[in-house]
Amino acid sequence: MGSMVIRCLLRLERRVTFKKRAEDNQMRAFDLLATVAGEMLLERESSPSSSNASKGNGPIACVQNMWENEDKLVKIEQSYQGFSDRRVLASELVQQADDQKYGSEESLFPQNDGHSGFASIVTIDSSEGFVDQRLVNGKNKNDTGSFASKLDLGVSGYRESGVCKLDCETKIMIKDELHNNGKVPIVTGTDKCSLEDPEVWDGKPPALVSSDSSVKVPLCGDHIPCSSFPASRDDVKIVSRDDDEKSSGCTHPSTITKSIRPVSRIGNRRIRKILASKHWKVSPKLKDDTLLNNDGDLKPICRNRKGYYKRQRSQMNIPFKKRKIFERGSVSNPNRLFTCEGKSDSPEKGINGDASGSCVKMHGATGTSSSVVCQHTSIQSRDSYVKLRIKSFRVPELFIEMPETASVGSLKRTVMEALTAILGGGLHVGVLLRGKKVRDDNKTLLQTGISHDYPLDALGFALEPNPSQNPPSICPRNSSCMLPCDTPQPLTSYPPDSTVAHQAICHSSPEPHLANLGNFIESDHDSAPSPTDTSVDKSTTDSKALVAVPEMNVEALAVVPVHRKSKRSEIAQRRIRRPFSVTEVEALVQAVEKLGTGRWRDVKLLAFDNAKHRTYVDLKDKWKTLVHTARISPQQRRGEPVPQELLDRVLTAHAFWSKQQARQQLKQHAETCLLI
DNA sequence: CTTAGGG
DNA sequence: CCCTAAG
């Protein structure tokens, strides 16, 4: 039997849909999941006739289309409206998906079993895992070139299945059969637990959402007749619709009477982008051939050797720094990730002991392990080794806001930057066993219960922000990370003007632990402007807002500009300011006295070799400021006072070495003259 | 990668 | 601290 997978964003949308028919727990559960997971795959069975050929091709197709119009301008919804629109869209999607399968608009999530709520969720995850597997295992290894054909198959298969109409988003993934074969249901501990935790979903729906529900519902209804959509090829296209894009951005359905079309398109766009970001690990092999080797192999191409140093630096404790420098390298990461998966696919690639090691290494080394949840683990027994296979990490949900005039290229970059930031921001891997976080790092796998005979789906991995900040809850909910955001602002106060298009939308939790997610949130907000920083100029074409959504509290929805300076679209963050201590100054002075002022590399090695956060440039800069400080009056000095004695030495040394340097130059000049 | 300087 | 031109 086949199944269709729909990947969509159900963050806000769900409210609408579910509210309406949330009579049963099933819906609530789903709703919850949506909240928690943010993104998910909805799997539906499709006609058994669908061929296997279409397996796992959906996502590819999606991505493919995504970038079809590389050079065209992408039009993205302009504002705040996006929120509600998206919601509408989502509900539509769900509806349609359902209809396609069951032709009933009543059962959004048809369930056959008692506690279907949960079951469905499981299914969903499973499907994803399956997809992943297909993508990885499938003969993709060496036939990247067959992509096109695959795509076709996928499409045709879909048609055959009798599922006529696919909405833009809907067509995202289509797979067939699978339920039976070794498909390993992937239940993220996260999701599971979230569902089980009444605390999580017992909460009332966010006011924000509920307010719009009235509007949405009717809209959904309109779209229901999906069965009659087959003809509208247009609808099937995921991305290439630049033509009618224009018709959208403008009208924001404030009333039910407004046309749905525009709305859904807007939403679509939104989702597409999100999807793109989520499928990034797949995309490279689709379109961006620059990332592929000539032979179409998926092997990553390392083109940035220079990246090493900087990367190293960034790994020290300069989390955000220079990420943009890796634009190239970063972009290729997906490939690596993919490669990794492919490799791990090989039975021989089993990892023993430190399972995550190998994979993480591969991903991590590239700084790209994405965050969150995914988990597809297979534990096989071979001797006393436990083999784990991490199919992929799912990237946390991202919201991207970009001006309509932004190019596709910039969109790509933006997404990449967001991912890079997320991935390189100091995440750590969390291990989940049956949904529970394994906290004791010292336990052996065996002690923990991860043994060769352990259920395949019991183990999970999650990328988490900050080890010490995780909530006690079993739910590794916070697995998603946040991009640098400034002080959150309640969504309700979101200014409905176009400027919002340039702001980041950040769904964040007010909870302390979330507020401290990872290192992304810089501590020095000295110049942090308000979320509505006016410096964000509309003429600016730079994209902004990239935000991973910590799925927990929707109520905490907040909108914030990710970048203070509109100029900087990069996610790259400034390093944290770390004032030099007197001790450090002392060491610096001493080193300079000995080595002089032109050998910062040596100074670094001599006096700050173990201070990873001090680069030779830092030392050079510090010396510069020290000299300046020594020259100004004590009253003008700021910060921790530096002993006058040291300042005196600074001046002395500076004078000495300056003279020395001058002499050296004279000498050389003289020699040069002589030679001539 | 290092330096040197401006920002 | 960042960014960059230069070497």
Side-chain angles (χ1 to χ4, degrees):
Chain A
M1 55 209 289
S3 65
M4 178 184 76
V5 178
I6 302 168
R7 184 187 273 271
C8 59
L9 184 70
L10 291 172
R11 172 158 303 295
L12 300 173
E13 308 76 20
R14 56 189 170 31
R15 296 295 172 193
V16 184
T17 306
F18 298 106
K19 220 173 172 195
K20 187 174 160 195
R21 24 193 135 188
E23 279 76 8
D24 54 39
N25 290 330
Q26 173 179 325
M27 286 300 106
R28 300 197 63 176
F30 195 88
D31 181 304
L32 199 197
L33 179 61
T35 304
V36 173
E39 174 210 357
M40 57 179 59
L41 289 175
L42 298 185
E43 184 171 354
R44 289 278 175 287
E45 287 191 3
S46 135
S47 91
S49 62
S50 358
S51 64
N52 299 332
S54 62
K55 276 187 201 172
N57 290 322
I60 294 179
C62 170
V63 178
Q64 162 105 355
N65 276 318
M66 192 81 176
W67 307 121
E68 227 157 42
N69 301 297
E70 186 78 71
D71 26 36
K72 293 185 183 177
L73 292 182
V74 203
K75 191 158 188 177
I76 295 165
E77 68 265 57
Q78 242 171 359
S79 61
Y80 170 54
Q81 215 55 49
F83 265 124
S84 54
D85 291 345
R86 210 173 346 126
R87 255 173 281 163
V88 176
L89 172 62
S91 47
E92 287 176 359
L93 285 177
V94 175
Q95 192 77 53
Q96 288 174 12
D98 186 56
D99 290 335
Q100 291 175 350
K101 294 305 184 163
Y102 306 84
S104 161
E105 54 183 66
E106 289 308 310
S107 57
L108 203 55
F109 297 96
Q111 309 296 339
N112 301 319
D113 51 304
H115 59 305
S116 34
F118 188 77
S120 68
I121 291 168
V122 174
T123 303
I124 290 167
D125 269 348
S126 302
S127 72
E128 176 170 33
F130 183 78
V131 173
D132 282 346
Q133 183 161 20
R134 293 296 308 175
L135 290 175
V136 177
N137 293 344
K139 51 289 174 92
N140 290 334
K141 236 179 174 175
N142 300 310
D143 68 346
T144 309
S146 65
F147 169 58
S149 59
K150 281 183 180 176
L151 181 59
D152 272 351
L153 288 173
V155 175
S156 63
Y158 197 76
R159 291 206 204 101
E160 290 173 27
S161 67
V163 180
C164 17
K165 177 265 175 79
L166 288 178
D167 198 28
C168 297
E169 303 63 39
T170 330
K171 59 153 89 292
I172 292 164
M173 302 178 135
I174 300 170
K175 301 177 317 206
D176 322 20
E177 55 99 69
L178 57 122
H179 284 293
N180 338 346
N181 324 348
K183 173 173 122 184
V184 184
I186 301 173
V187 182
T188 311
T190 319
D191 296 340
K192 205 187 226 165
C193 104
S194 61
L195 288 172
E196 295 169 339
D197 182 358
E199 292 285 311
V200 181
W201 53 289
D202 252 337
K204 352 37 194 173
L208 169 83
V209 180
S210 58
S211 63
D212 287 333
S213 57
S214 62
V215 178
K216 276 71 188 254
V217 176
L219 292 178
C220 298
D222 276 355
H223 256 345
I224 294 173
C226 59
S227 55
S228 58
F229 273 75
S232 66
R233 186 64 173 166
D234 183 47
D235 281 318
V236 182
K237 288 179 184 172
I238 294 183
V239 180
S240 54
R241 318 179 102 195
D242 298 49
D243 40 329
D244 52 35
E245 297 276 297
K246 291 165 188 169
S247 64
S248 46
C250 35
T251 57
H252 298 304
S254 54
T255 61
I256 301 176
T257 54
K258 297 234 176 171
S259 90
I260 298 169
R261 280 280 167 192
V263 178
S264 78
R265 280 173 197 158
I266 292 173
N268 291 350
R269 259 174 261 137
R270 172 85 89 176
I271 288 182
R272 286 176 211 146
K273 280 196 288 182
I274 292 167
L275 285 171
S277 71
K278 303 200 168 180
H279 289 290
W280 60 286
K281 70 179 177 191
V282 180
S283 63
K285 100 182 191 181
L286 306 177
K287 256 305 193 185
D288 200 339
D289 18 316
T290 62
L291 298 176
L292 298 175
N293 291 325
N294 295 327
D295 57 15
D297 194 20
L298 292 178
K299 279 184 294 186
I301 302 173
C302 301
R303 6 168 134 256
N304 187 354
R305 286 179 188 170
K306 298 176 70 176
Y308 177 69
Y309 178 69
K310 280 166 183 179
R311 187 169 300 168
Q312 190 177 45
R313 284 175 67 184
S314 69
Q315 285 180 342
M316 299 198 236
N317 48 59
I318 314 165
F320 299 99
K321 164 171 203 155
K322 312 270 187 191
R323 291 237 175 69
K324 69 178 181 183
I325 292 179
F326 293 130
E327 203 165 297
R328 254 287 187 248
S330 305
V331 173
S332 65
N333 284 335
N335 281 316
R336 299 186 200 183
L337 205 176
F338 204 86
T339 301
C340 172
E341 293 180 335
K343 283 183 178 178
S344 64
D345 182 42
S346 156
E348 302 311 324
K349 298 289 180 174
I351 306 156
N352 52 354
D354 179 11
S356 59
S358 120
C359 221
V360 170
K361 217 168 192 173
M362 302 174 104
H363 298 200
T366 65
T368 71
S369 17
S370 60
S371 66
V372 194
V373 217
C374 144
Q375 104 176 62
H376 182 92
T377 326
S378 57
I379 306 174
Q380 299 165 6
S381 67
R382 178 181 278 198
D383 300 323
S384 55
Y385 289 104
V386 177
K387 288 194 173 187
L388 308 173
R389 176 157 64 188
I390 298 176
K391 287 297 186 178
S392 68
F393 279 101
R394 198 187 301 172
V395 176
E397 193 166 73
L398 294 175
F399 283 90
I400 302 172
E401 290 279 349
M402 293 182 78
E404 298 182 322
T405 53
S407 66
V408 174
S410 70
L411 170 59
K412 284 183 177 180
R413 251 173 284 133
T414 302
V415 172
M416 195 58 238
E417 285 167 1
L419 292 175
T420 308
I422 293 173
L423 305 179
L427 295 174
H428 82 282
V429 175
V431 174
L432 308 170
L433 201 54
R434 283 179 171 154
K436 292 193 177 185
K437 190 178 288 183
V438 179
R439 295 172 183 283
D440 191 342
D441 291 349
N442 299 317
K443 274 187 184 175
T444 65
L445 296 181
L446 191 59
Q447 292 175 319
T448 306
I450 304 173
S451 53
H452 61 280
D453 57 348
Y454 205 76
L456 302 182
D457 58 347
L459 188 61
F461 296 94
L463 295 188
E464 304 165 328
N466 199 327
S468 58
Q469 297 301 330
N470 288 324
S473 149
I474 309 173
C475 320
R477 208 41 14 287
N478 52 0
S479 43
S480 64
C481 354
M482 297 174 66
L483 291 193
C485 294
D486 286 21
T487 49
Q489 185 180 48
L491 179 60
T492 51
S493 63
Y494 201 114
D497 63 50
S498 58
T499 61
V500 292
H502 299 277
Q503 299 182 320
I505 297 172
C506 177
H507 301 238
S508 65
S509 166
E511 291 168 54
H513 69 269
L514 284 178
N516 288 315
L517 279 183
N519 302 315
F520 290 105
I521 300 178
E522 214 171 358
S523 59
D524 66 325
H525 285 262
D526 41 6
S527 62
S530 69
T532 50
D533 185 354
T534 51
S535 70
V536 179
D537 189 329
K538 289 184 188 178
S539 68
T540 302
T541 56
D542 284 340
S543 59
K544 335 246 93 79
L546 291 175
V547 181
V549 183
E551 19 277 21
M552 240 151 78
N553 261 273
V554 178
E555 300 178 49
L557 288 179
V559 180
V560 288
V562 167
H563 305 292
R564 299 163 195 166
K565 311 276 168 86
S566 59
K567 271 281 186 178
R568 230 183 258 178
S569 66
E570 316 7 297
I571 296 306
Q573 192 97 100
R574 200 186 172 89
R575 282 191 298 160
I576 291 180
R577 183 168 172 273
R578 297 194 184 191
F580 276 70
S581 64
V582 173
T583 304
E584 287 181 299
V585 172
E586 159 85 64
L588 176 59
V589 172
Q590 191 173 309
V592 174
E593 285 175 334
K594 181 178 180 179
L595 302 171
T597 54
R599 303 166 60 191
W600 303 110
R601 205 315 194 70
D602 294 331
V603 169
K604 155 77 176 170
L605 263 34
L606 176 64
F608 293 80
D609 198 24
N610 48 22
K612 301 304 178 191
H613 60 294
R614 302 297 189 196
T615 68
Y616 47 73
V617 173
D618 291 333
L619 301 180
K620 183 262 298 175
D621 287 341
K622 180 54 184 175
W623 183 261
K624 184 172 63 178
T625 61
L626 272 179
V627 171
H628 177 259
T629 301
R631 287 171 174 166
I632 62 178
S633 68
Q635 294 77 49
Q636 300 178 71
R637 297 169 191 165
R638 293 184 298 178
E640 185 179 12
V642 177
Q644 187 58 45
E645 177 262 334
L646 276 178
L647 292 177
D648 290 340
R649 288 169 63 188
V650 167
L651 286 181
T652 304
H654 190 261
F656 176 79
W657 287 108
S658 292
K659 203 177 294 176
Q660 207 70 118
Q661 213 162 41
R663 250 182 239 171
Q664 197 63 41
Q665 287 185 347
L666 267 178
K667 202 173 177 180
Q668 287 198 337
H669 185 266
E671 286 176 9
T672 306
C673 289
L674 282 177
L675 285 176
I676 296 175

